[in-house]
């Protein structure tokens, strides 16, 4: 956890890779309007998913993903952010049954400045804040 969520967490932003500054900026912007916001830095979606898949077939069946998300209340929204396909992290909601808003790049081949591309795909801080506003209850986010 880059920023561990509190016991009444309403939102967790889980990100991987170079979008870290966008995720951190977005978390700071929504912290005043949503309780106990968490920020999860995923270092390897592949290894995290492989461990979760293996644990589902093991007798004791507890994975790192299970441990990371165990303390989240059922109403918590997980917003995933990656500069790759959104489903790379979108499966995180299935670990404990949380609502998930996966953000990422769904079409490839666009060129431009990084800030423009992040804005285009909604993976900049504004896009993350907008996704939280669309998918969670509470005060409007600006």
């Amino acid at each position: 956890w880059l920023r561990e969520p509190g016991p009444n967490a309403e939102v967790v932003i889980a990100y991987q890779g170079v979008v870290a500054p966008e995720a951190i900026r977005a978390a700071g912007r929504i912290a005043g309007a949503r309780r106990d916001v968490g920020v999860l830095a995923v270092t390897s979606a592949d290894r995290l998913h492989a461990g979760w898949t293996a644990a589902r077939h093991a007798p004791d069946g507890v994975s790192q993903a299970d441990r990371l998300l165990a303390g989240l209340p059922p109403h918590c929204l997980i917003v995933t952010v990656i500069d790759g396909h959104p489903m790379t992290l979108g499966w995180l909601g299935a670990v404990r049954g949380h609502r998930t808003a996966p953000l990422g790049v769904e079409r490839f081949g666009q060129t431009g400045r990084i800030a423009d591309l992040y804005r285009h795909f909604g993976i900049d801080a504004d896009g993350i804040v907008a996704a939280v506003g669309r998918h969670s209850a509470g005060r409007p986010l600006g």
Side-chain angles (χ1 to χ4, degrees):
W1 287 103
L2 185 61
R3 179 180 184 179
E4 195 158 354
N8 296 311
E10 292 182 298
V11 178
V12 164
I13 299 172
Y15 74 89
Q16 181 174 308
V18 299
V19 294
E22 304 297 330
I24 293 165
R25 245 188 316 277
R29 287 177 46 192
I30 66 173
R34 300 295 185 272
R35 286 183 304 216
D36 295 344
V37 174
V39 179
L40 178 63
V42 177
T43 55
S44 174
D46 181 54
R47 291 187 69 187
L48 192 63
H49 185 267
W52 179 60
T53 301
R56 289 186 300 153
H57 302 293
D60 54 356
V62 180
S63 69
Q64 178 67 6
D66 287 307
R67 286 188 288 278
L68 286 168
L69 304 178
L72 297 182
H75 66 270
C76 185
L77 169 69
I78 300 174
V79 177
T80 64
V81 188
I82 188 168
D83 68 338
H85 197 279
M87 293 318 296
T88 304
L89 294 174
W91 61 272
L92 285 172
V95 173
R96 295 261 176 191
H98 291 96
R99 289 176 302 120
T100 306
L103 304 177
V105 179
E106 295 184 45
R107 294 173 316 282
F108 296 90
Q110 288 76 11
T111 60
R113 293 180 333 120
I114 290 174
D116 294 336
L117 292 170
Y118 283 7
R119 187 176 324 103
H120 174 78
F121 289 110
I123 59 175
D124 61 348
D126 289 338
I128 298 167
V129 169
V132 170
R134 281 192 307 273
H135 298 287
S136 69
R139 293 193 336 229
L141 300 170

